[in-house]
């Protein structure tokens, strides 16, 4: 067993995935002039998946922090401060769900409009 959770590769991979990947996705999409519906939907699903992976990894790290002798990781992962760690996944998950719902609602509006044009008497 390691002396601290901060020396585990899981912690650093979570940090990399939590910060670099979402902001990298945003940066690439912001540079494009036009984005397809499928690309937008994939961005939403990616953000929800990243949020889920973060929460899962935070739970694993909290369990590991309880077993280490280090007080530094206990202060962050086991105490009330750990609630702050969940804000980033909640934010990304919320944005992802919002993006997904936007695409679905837009598609349903367009499908409804097509139906009205094809069936004007209904």
């Amino acid at each position: 067993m390691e002396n601290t959770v901060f020396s585990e590769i899981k912690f650093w991979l979570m940090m990399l995935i939590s910060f670099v990947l979402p902001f990298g996705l945003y940066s690439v999409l912001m540079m494009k002039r036009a984005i397809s519906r499928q690309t937008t939907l994939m961005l939403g699903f990616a953000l929800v998946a990243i949020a889920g992976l973060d929460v899962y990894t935070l739970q694993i790290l909290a369990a590991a922090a309880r077993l280490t002798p280090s007080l530094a990781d206990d202060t962050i992962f086991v105490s009330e401060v750990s609630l702050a760690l969940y804000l980033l996944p909640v934010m990304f998950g919320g944005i992802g769900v919002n993006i997904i719902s936007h695409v679905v609602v837009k598609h349903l509006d367009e499908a409804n409009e097509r139906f009205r044009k094809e069936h004007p008497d209904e």
Side-chain angles (χ1 to χ4, degrees), residues 57-78:
T57 307
L58 284 169
Q59 291 292 314
I60 290 173
L61 291 173
R66 287 183 188 92
L67 302 175
T68 62
S70 173
L71 295 177
D73 53 8
D74 287 348
T75 303
I76 293 177
F77 289 104
V78 181

PDB file of all heavy atoms in Angstrom, residues 57-78:
ATOM      1  N   THR A  57     -14.048   7.202  -9.697  1.00  0.00           N
ATOM      2  CA  THR A  57     -12.654   7.289  -9.261  1.00  0.00           C
ATOM      3  C   THR A  57     -12.546   7.981  -7.904  1.00  0.00           C
ATOM      4  O   THR A  57     -11.744   7.568  -7.061  1.00  0.00           O
ATOM      5  CB  THR A  57     -11.801   8.038 -10.307  1.00  0.00           C
ATOM      6  OG1 THR A  57     -11.988   7.413 -11.579  1.00  0.00           O
ATOM      7  CG2 THR A  57     -10.335   8.011  -9.950  1.00  0.00           C
ATOM      8  N   LEU A  58     -13.350   9.012  -7.667  1.00  0.00           N
ATOM      9  CA  LEU A  58     -13.331   9.676  -6.364  1.00  0.00           C
ATOM     10  C   LEU A  58     -13.754   8.723  -5.251  1.00  0.00           C
ATOM     11  O   LEU A  58     -13.200   8.769  -4.147  1.00  0.00           O
ATOM     12  CB  LEU A  58     -14.238  10.909  -6.376  1.00  0.00           C
ATOM     13  CG  LEU A  58     -13.678  12.137  -7.092  1.00  0.00           C
ATOM     14  CD1 LEU A  58     -14.764  13.185  -7.272  1.00  0.00           C
ATOM     15  CD2 LEU A  58     -12.497  12.707  -6.338  1.00  0.00           C
ATOM     16  N   GLN A  59     -14.711   7.863  -5.514  1.00  0.00           N
ATOM     17  CA  GLN A  59     -15.128   6.874  -4.520  1.00  0.00           C
ATOM     18  C   GLN A  59     -14.000   5.889  -4.223  1.00  0.00           C
ATOM     19  O   GLN A  59     -13.749   5.545  -3.061  1.00  0.00           O
ATOM     20  CB  GLN A  59     -16.365   6.109  -5.019  1.00  0.00           C
ATOM     21  CG  GLN A  59     -17.606   6.952  -5.089  1.00  0.00           C
ATOM     22  CD  GLN A  59     -18.090   7.349  -3.721  1.00  0.00           C
ATOM     23  OE1 GLN A  59     -18.173   6.543  -2.815  1.00  0.00           O
ATOM     24  NE2 GLN A  59     -18.400   8.625  -3.569  1.00  0.00           N
ATOM     25  N   ILE A  60     -13.298   5.439  -5.260  1.00  0.00           N
ATOM     26  CA  ILE A  60     -12.168   4.526  -5.077  1.00  0.00           C
ATOM     27  C   ILE A  60     -11.055   5.207  -4.284  1.00  0.00           C
ATOM     28  O   ILE A  60     -10.475   4.624  -3.370  1.00  0.00           O
ATOM     29  CB  ILE A  60     -11.638   4.033  -6.439  1.00  0.00           C
ATOM     30  CG1 ILE A  60     -12.656   3.089  -7.071  1.00  0.00           C
ATOM     31  CG2 ILE A  60     -10.290   3.357  -6.303  1.00  0.00           C
ATOM     32  CD1 ILE A  60     -12.313   2.679  -8.481  1.00  0.00           C
ATOM     33  N   LEU A  61     -10.764   6.459  -4.622  1.00  0.00           N
ATOM     34  CA  LEU A  61      -9.704   7.191  -3.922  1.00  0.00           C
ATOM     35  C   LEU A  61     -10.075   7.462  -2.467  1.00  0.00           C
ATOM     36  O   LEU A  61      -9.213   7.434  -1.588  1.00  0.00           O
ATOM     37  CB  LEU A  61      -9.384   8.488  -4.657  1.00  0.00           C
ATOM     38  CG  LEU A  61      -8.704   8.324  -6.020  1.00  0.00           C
ATOM     39  CD1 LEU A  61      -8.598   9.666  -6.722  1.00  0.00           C
ATOM     40  CD2 LEU A  61      -7.340   7.674  -5.875  1.00  0.00           C
ATOM     41  N   ALA A  62     -11.342   7.723  -2.194  1.00  0.00           N
ATOM     42  CA  ALA A  62     -11.770   7.944  -0.809  1.00  0.00           C
ATOM     43  C   ALA A  62     -11.595   6.672   0.010  1.00  0.00           C
ATOM     44  O   ALA A  62     -11.148   6.720   1.164  1.00  0.00           O
ATOM     45  CB  ALA A  62     -13.215   8.411  -0.768  1.00  0.00           C
ATOM     46  N   ALA A  63     -11.942   5.531  -0.578  1.00  0.00           N
ATOM     47  CA  ALA A  63     -11.756   4.256   0.129  1.00  0.00           C
ATOM     48  C   ALA A  63     -10.275   3.980   0.359  1.00  0.00           C
ATOM     49  O   ALA A  63      -9.882   3.518   1.438  1.00  0.00           O
ATOM     50  CB  ALA A  63     -12.391   3.118  -0.665  1.00  0.00           C
ATOM     51  N   ALA A  64      -9.442   4.288  -0.627  1.00  0.00           N
ATOM     52  CA  ALA A  64      -7.999   4.080  -0.479  1.00  0.00           C
ATOM     53  C   ALA A  64      -7.408   5.051   0.539  1.00  0.00           C
ATOM     54  O   ALA A  64      -6.481   4.696   1.277  1.00  0.00           O
ATOM     55  CB  ALA A  64      -7.305   4.239  -1.833  1.00  0.00           C
ATOM     56  N   ALA A  65      -7.930   6.280   0.596  1.00  0.00           N
ATOM     57  CA  ALA A  65      -7.408   7.280   1.532  1.00  0.00           C
ATOM     58  C   ALA A  65      -7.642   6.866   2.976  1.00  0.00           C
ATOM     59  O   ALA A  65      -6.843   7.182   3.860  1.00  0.00           O
ATOM     60  CB  ALA A  65      -8.050   8.642   1.258  1.00  0.00           C
ATOM     61  N   ARG A  66      -8.726   6.152   3.225  1.00  0.00           N
ATOM     62  CA  ARG A  66      -9.003   5.685   4.592  1.00  0.00           C
ATOM     63  C   ARG A  66      -7.959   4.672   5.066  1.00  0.00           C
ATOM     64  O   ARG A  66      -7.734   4.528   6.258  1.00  0.00           O
ATOM     65  CB  ARG A  66     -10.387   5.044   4.653  1.00  0.00           C
ATOM     66  CG  ARG A  66     -11.507   6.025   4.582  1.00  0.00           C
ATOM     67  CD  ARG A  66     -12.864   5.332   4.735  1.00  0.00           C
ATOM     68  NE  ARG A  66     -13.947   6.241   4.474  1.00  0.00           N
ATOM     69  CZ  ARG A  66     -14.525   6.415   3.293  1.00  0.00           C
ATOM     70  NH1 ARG A  66     -14.124   5.712   2.259  1.00  0.00           N
ATOM     71  NH2 ARG A  66     -15.495   7.285   3.148  1.00  0.00           N
ATOM     72  N   LEU A  67      -7.349   3.977   4.119  1.00  0.00           N
ATOM     73  CA  LEU A  67      -6.392   2.923   4.468  1.00  0.00           C
ATOM     74  C   LEU A  67      -4.946   3.407   4.540  1.00  0.00           C
ATOM     75  O   LEU A  67      -4.081   2.666   4.988  1.00  0.00           O
ATOM     76  CB  LEU A  67      -6.483   1.780   3.449  1.00  0.00           C
ATOM     77  CG  LEU A  67      -7.864   1.125   3.312  1.00  0.00           C
ATOM     78  CD1 LEU A  67      -7.845   0.109   2.191  1.00  0.00           C
ATOM     79  CD2 LEU A  67      -8.278   0.490   4.628  1.00  0.00           C
ATOM     80  N   THR A  68      -4.672   4.621   4.090  1.00  0.00           N
ATOM     81  CA  THR A  68      -3.305   5.126   4.105  1.00  0.00           C
ATOM     82  C   THR A  68      -3.011   5.833   5.426  1.00  0.00           C
ATOM     83  O   THR A  68      -3.908   6.396   6.048  1.00  0.00           O
ATOM     84  CB  THR A  68      -3.063   6.118   2.948  1.00  0.00           C
ATOM     85  OG1 THR A  68      -3.917   7.237   3.108  1.00  0.00           O
ATOM     86  CG2 THR A  68      -3.284   5.466   1.600  1.00  0.00           C
ATOM     87  N   PRO A  69      -1.753   5.854   5.827  1.00  0.00           N
ATOM     88  CA  PRO A  69      -1.397   6.555   7.059  1.00  0.00           C
ATOM     89  C   PRO A  69      -1.323   8.074   6.907  1.00  0.00           C
ATOM     90  O   PRO A  69      -1.305   8.801   7.891  1.00  0.00           O
ATOM     91  CB  PRO A  69      -0.030   5.977   7.414  1.00  0.00           C
ATOM     92  CG  PRO A  69       0.539   5.491   6.130  1.00  0.00           C
ATOM     93  CD  PRO A  69      -0.630   5.082   5.285  1.00  0.00           C
ATOM     94  N   SER A  70      -1.314   8.564   5.681  1.00  0.00           N
ATOM     95  CA  SER A  70      -1.188   9.992   5.430  1.00  0.00           C
ATOM     96  C   SER A  70      -2.443  10.745   5.857  1.00  0.00           C
ATOM     97  O   SER A  70      -3.560  10.340   5.556  1.00  0.00           O
ATOM     98  CB  SER A  70      -0.927  10.234   3.947  1.00  0.00           C
ATOM     99  OG  SER A  70      -0.970  11.607   3.657  1.00  0.00           O
ATOM    100  N   LEU A  71      -2.258  11.860   6.541  1.00  0.00           N
ATOM    101  CA  LEU A  71      -3.382  12.700   6.950  1.00  0.00           C
ATOM    102  C   LEU A  71      -3.776  13.683   5.855  1.00  0.00           C
ATOM    103  O   LEU A  71      -4.902  14.181   5.853  1.00  0.00           O
ATOM    104  CB  LEU A  71      -3.043  13.454   8.228  1.00  0.00           C
ATOM    105  CG  LEU A  71      -2.825  12.586   9.469  1.00  0.00           C
ATOM    106  CD1 LEU A  71      -2.437  13.444  10.646  1.00  0.00           C
ATOM    107  CD2 LEU A  71      -4.065  11.772   9.767  1.00  0.00           C
ATOM    108  N   ALA A  72      -2.864  13.952   4.927  1.00  0.00           N
ATOM    109  CA  ALA A  72      -3.162  14.908   3.855  1.00  0.00           C
ATOM    110  C   ALA A  72      -4.277  14.404   2.960  1.00  0.00           C
ATOM    111  O   ALA A  72      -5.203  15.149   2.627  1.00  0.00           O
ATOM    112  CB  ALA A  72      -1.908  15.175   3.026  1.00  0.00           C
ATOM    113  N   ASP A  73      -4.219  13.139   2.570  1.00  0.00           N
ATOM    114  CA  ASP A  73      -5.290  12.631   1.711  1.00  0.00           C
ATOM    115  C   ASP A  73      -6.581  12.417   2.489  1.00  0.00           C
ATOM    116  O   ASP A  73      -7.671  12.536   1.942  1.00  0.00           O
ATOM    117  CB  ASP A  73      -4.877  11.375   0.950  1.00  0.00           C
ATOM    118  CG  ASP A  73      -4.333  10.277   1.835  1.00  0.00           C
ATOM    119  OD1 ASP A  73      -4.398  10.415   3.061  1.00  0.00           O
ATOM    120  OD2 ASP A  73      -3.831   9.278   1.293  1.00  0.00           O
ATOM    121  N   ASP A  74      -6.487  12.128   3.808  1.00  0.00           N
ATOM    122  CA  ASP A  74      -7.694  12.041   4.620  1.00  0.00           C
ATOM    123  C   ASP A  74      -8.404  13.393   4.676  1.00  0.00           C
ATOM    124  O   ASP A  74      -9.637  13.465   4.636  1.00  0.00           O
ATOM    125  CB  ASP A  74      -7.362  11.598   6.048  1.00  0.00           C
ATOM    126  CG  ASP A  74      -6.994  10.131   6.127  1.00  0.00           C
ATOM    127  OD1 ASP A  74      -7.209   9.416   5.127  1.00  0.00           O
ATOM    128  OD2 ASP A  74      -6.501   9.704   7.184  1.00  0.00           O
ATOM    129  N   THR A  75      -7.628  14.455   4.775  1.00  0.00           N
ATOM    130  CA  THR A  75      -8.194  15.803   4.849  1.00  0.00           C
ATOM    131  C   THR A  75      -8.990  16.127   3.594  1.00  0.00           C
ATOM    132  O   THR A  75     -10.033  16.771   3.663  1.00  0.00           O
ATOM    133  CB  THR A  75      -7.066  16.845   5.025  1.00  0.00           C
ATOM    134  OG1 THR A  75      -6.329  16.522   6.188  1.00  0.00           O
ATOM    135  CG2 THR A  75      -7.625  18.238   5.126  1.00  0.00           C
ATOM    136  N   ILE A  76      -8.534  15.652   2.461  1.00  0.00           N
ATOM    137  CA  ILE A  76      -9.198  15.994   1.202  1.00  0.00           C
ATOM    138  C   ILE A  76     -10.266  14.982   0.818  1.00  0.00           C
ATOM    139  O   ILE A  76     -11.369  15.347   0.431  1.00  0.00           O
ATOM    140  CB  ILE A  76      -8.152  16.141   0.076  1.00  0.00           C
ATOM    141  CG1 ILE A  76      -7.300  17.365   0.378  1.00  0.00           C
ATOM    142  CG2 ILE A  76      -8.817  16.260  -1.274  1.00  0.00           C
ATOM    143  CD1 ILE A  76      -6.186  17.620  -0.561  1.00  0.00           C
ATOM    144  N   PHE A  77      -9.972  13.694   0.912  1.00  0.00           N
ATOM    145  CA  PHE A  77     -10.881  12.677   0.384  1.00  0.00           C
ATOM    146  C   PHE A  77     -11.882  12.129   1.399  1.00  0.00           C
ATOM    147  O   PHE A  77     -12.905  11.583   1.005  1.00  0.00           O
ATOM    148  CB  PHE A  77     -10.082  11.512  -0.206  1.00  0.00           C
ATOM    149  CG  PHE A  77      -9.386  11.864  -1.480  1.00  0.00           C
ATOM    150  CD1 PHE A  77      -8.022  12.099  -1.490  1.00  0.00           C
ATOM    151  CD2 PHE A  77     -10.088  11.971  -2.655  1.00  0.00           C
ATOM    152  CE1 PHE A  77      -7.372  12.428  -2.662  1.00  0.00           C
ATOM    153  CE2 PHE A  77      -9.451  12.307  -3.834  1.00  0.00           C
ATOM    154  CZ  PHE A  77      -8.095  12.541  -3.838  1.00  0.00           C
ATOM    155  N   VAL A  78     -11.617  12.225   2.685  1.00  0.00           N
ATOM    156  CA  VAL A  78     -12.491  11.606   3.678  1.00  0.00           C
ATOM    157  C   VAL A  78     -13.292  12.645   4.456  1.00  0.00           C
ATOM    158  O   VAL A  78     -14.344  12.339   4.986  1.00  0.00           O
ATOM    159  CB  VAL A  78     -11.663  10.712   4.633  1.00  0.00           C
ATOM    160  CG1 VAL A  78     -12.543  10.036   5.654  1.00  0.00           C
ATOM    161  CG2 VAL A  78     -10.897   9.661   3.827  1.00  0.00           C
TER     162      VAL A  78
END
